[in-house]
Amino acid sequence: MSLDNASRPVWKGADELVPSRYALRVGEIDVLVVSDGVLSLPGAMLAHNADPAVRGAWLDDMFLPRDVLEWALNVVVVRSGGRTILIDAGMGVEFPDLPRAGRLVQRLEAAGIDLPSLTDVVLTHMHMDHVGGLLVDGVKDRLRPDLRVHVAAAEAKFWESPDFSRVSMPPGFPDALRQTAKRFLSEYHRQLRPFEAEYEVAPGVLVTRTGGHTPGHSVVRLASGSDRLTFAGDAVFQVGFEHPDWYNGFEHDPEEAARVRVRLLRELAANRESLVATHLSFPSVCHVAVAGDVFRWVPGPWEY
Ligand SMILES: [Zn+2]
């Protein structure tokens, strides 16, 4: 089965056949989840510390192929207190073998969001699938000169001399990640607003450093009235509910990443808030429940 958006004559007239944006509200805060596309990655990336047979059985149980998985790549736009905040920026064109991602700018525009209307960018971390969209030709020129780019100080520092000794990535990825982060730091150094532990970007929009996935990995907590939603970036993957202790191949400190995941999932389950994450199936709005020692993923109903 393939849900590609390539135009098919039978559906003539539709711009895209599969929805790529989903709007919701968190109290007074407007939230739009936008899909940047999908990343095709080896199944082993899900859990490099799991027995391959056990990992394979999990994929079978989920009706997913064992070899190559399509990872969702979600980006979020938030409006609060007169600010329009882009949280992460998708893949851009940073890696030639991932051509089905990098649709962010076209999809923002289709949703009525012009690049000059963005007042802030928040980066959960500086892997290329989170910053690449800002490096696409012509994008920076269209962003406002007083744009603020918020990233943990520890993240910017890490990419000056990144450690890849604990990751398990396909060939070519470490070099591409290094180069992209380096280029990002040099192109956007004037816009960078590094924060230490946390920063309130706009009313009810709090970015908080977690570490783990990368040393400066951060999540964004939205709170308005009694409504709560957390954008977890790469702290939670689909497999992480049932197997929070499985190490994702892109985690630079896998043990700490697992601790961060468990802590966050426990908290979200306890306070019943909504979760959105980069690589959970679009639009990824869901809840978390505790299931014995692990967790259960509870997808939210579509509301439209
Ligand atoms: Zn990612």
Side-chain angles (χ1 to χ4, degrees):
M1 185 178 68
S2 170
L3 293 174
D4 204 326
N5 273 330
S7 61
R8 294 167 199 172
V10 67
W11 304 117
K12 211 160 76 182
D15 60 345
E16 291 199 293
L17 296 174
V18 177
S20 61
R21 58 181 186 257
Y22 186 81
L24 64 153
R25 295 202 93 201
V26 176
E28 298 290 304
I29 304 174
D30 286 307
V31 180
L32 188 69
V33 184
V34 181
S35 165
D36 186 62
V38 292
L39 303 171
S40 308
L41 292 167
M45 293 297 99
L46 283 187
H48 61 92
N49 62 332
D51 181 317
V54 175
R55 182 177 64 220
W58 184 84
L59 290 164
D60 293 348
D61 279 355
M62 296 297 286
F63 297 87
L64 293 169
R66 287 187 174 208
D67 49 355
V68 175
L69 290 182
E70 309 292 354
W71 292 29
L73 182 44
N74 302 313
V75 170
V76 174
V77 181
V78 166
R79 279 193 176 134
S80 176
R83 305 202 74 89
T84 301
I85 304 153
L86 175 69
I87 307 174
D88 285 348
M91 184 74 198
V93 289
E94 293 305 309
F95 202 77
D97 289 348
L98 298 170
R100 295 181 63 202
R103 313 274 165 94
L104 178 67
V105 172
Q106 145 204 348
R107 288 177 174 173
L108 285 179
E109 281 170 359
I113 298 168
D114 293 329
L115 291 178
S117 72
L118 299 175
T119 59
D120 299 80
V121 173
V122 174
L123 299 175
T124 60
H125 62 298
M126 287 176 46
H127 277 163
M128 62 187 169
D129 53 323
H130 300 254
V131 303
L134 295 174
L135 294 172
V136 172
D137 270 356
V139 165
K140 188 170 174 231
D141 296 340
R142 293 172 56 207
L143 292 165
R144 51 205 287 167
D146 62 348
L147 178 81
R148 309 185 300 175
V149 178
H150 309 276
V151 67
E155 186 69 9
K157 178 100 188 96
F158 173 70
W159 289 100
E160 289 171 11
S161 176
D163 177 4
F164 281 79
S165 60
R166 306 291 316 283
V167 303
S168 176
M169 298 177 182
F173 272 71
D175 281 347
L177 288 161
R178 265 189 211 100
Q179 282 163 23
T180 301
K182 200 169 169 192
R183 194 150 70 81
F184 182 82
L185 282 173
S186 106
E187 288 201 20
Y188 282 89
H189 69 274
R190 282 187 47 244
Q191 284 79 15
L192 280 193
R193 299 289 181 275
F195 61 89
E196 292 301 325
E198 59 181 33
Y199 182 74
E200 189 171 19
V201 181
V205 183
L206 186 73
V207 55
T208 303
R209 181 165 83 91
T210 62
H213 185 75
T214 58
H217 181 276
S218 301
V219 299
V220 182
R221 318 294 302 253
L222 305 181
S224 175
S226 58
D227 275 1
R228 298 278 181 278
L229 181 147
T230 288
F231 179 66
D234 282 13
V236 180
F237 299 90
Q238 197 71 53
V239 74
F241 298 95
E242 232 178 301
H243 295 287
D245 54 344
W246 280 8
Y247 298 163
N248 182 278
F250 291 88
E251 290 166 346
H252 291 257
D253 182 344
E255 286 89 354
E256 181 60 11
R259 281 191 289 271
V260 165
R261 181 158 42 249
V262 168
R263 210 156 49 222
L264 185 65
L265 290 174
R266 272 203 194 118
E267 187 191 339
L268 298 182
N271 65 17
R272 302 179 69 80
E273 77 181 86
S274 301
L275 165 67
V276 168
T278 306
H279 302 296
L280 294 182
S281 189
F282 178 82
S284 97
V285 183
C286 64
H287 284 95
V288 183
V290 171
D293 290 342
V294 294
F295 302 94
R296 188 163 51 87
W297 171 56
V298 185
W302 274 66
E303 294 173 7
Y304 63 100

